[in-house]
Amino acid sequence: MAIAGILVQTDVDTAEAVWTRLSVDPGISEVHRAEIPGRLVAVLEAASDRMEQEFKRLAAWDGVLSVDLAYLTYEDELADGGAIKCPPWERKHRSA
């Protein structure tokens, strides 16, 4: 299990709806409103090999502008097996 602290930036008009949705999402263990309108801070828990997909899932929600990583820990996996299960590396296609 990986645990990530994330910053979710939203449209100011949809921040409350996104907060409500995050607060009932099974992958989110905590969610807080930041002092800046439209910004939410949350704790995301998922299997390490699913973390990237979870970021993409949250980023695709209506009203979400971005999902940014604040911290990421794999402590339990390292203690249990000494290795982190990560998805295979994929080349990112970026335009110039």
Side-chain angles (χ1 to χ4, degrees):
M1 177 73 66
I3 301 170
I6 60 174
L7 172 65
V8 180
Q9 296 190 59
T10 70
D11 291 323
V12 175
D13 297 337
T14 59
E16 192 64 27
V18 173
W19 182 88
T20 300
R21 194 169 174 190
L22 283 170
S23 67
V24 297
D25 188 280
I28 302 294
S29 61
E30 292 181 42
V31 61
H32 304 277
R33 293 173 183 87
E35 290 183 18
I36 299 171
R39 293 192 183 172
L40 307 168
V41 178
V43 176
L44 171 64
E45 297 183 16
S48 59
D49 59 351
R50 294 261 332 130
M51 192 60 72
E52 184 176 4
Q53 289 79 19
E54 289 297 305
F55 267 72
K56 289 178 181 177
R57 180 181 69 84
L58 296 174
W61 286 5
D62 289 339
V64 172
L65 302 175
S66 68
V67 178
D68 300 302
L69 180 66
Y71 71 86
L72 180 63
T73 181
Y74 294 99
E75 287 179 11
D76 294 343
E77 289 186 10
L78 289 174
D80 291 342
I84 299 171
K85 297 176 283 184
C86 294
W89 179 81
E90 295 179 16
R91 177 182 280 295
K92 304 284 188 221
H93 301 284
R94 301 178 193 261
S95 59

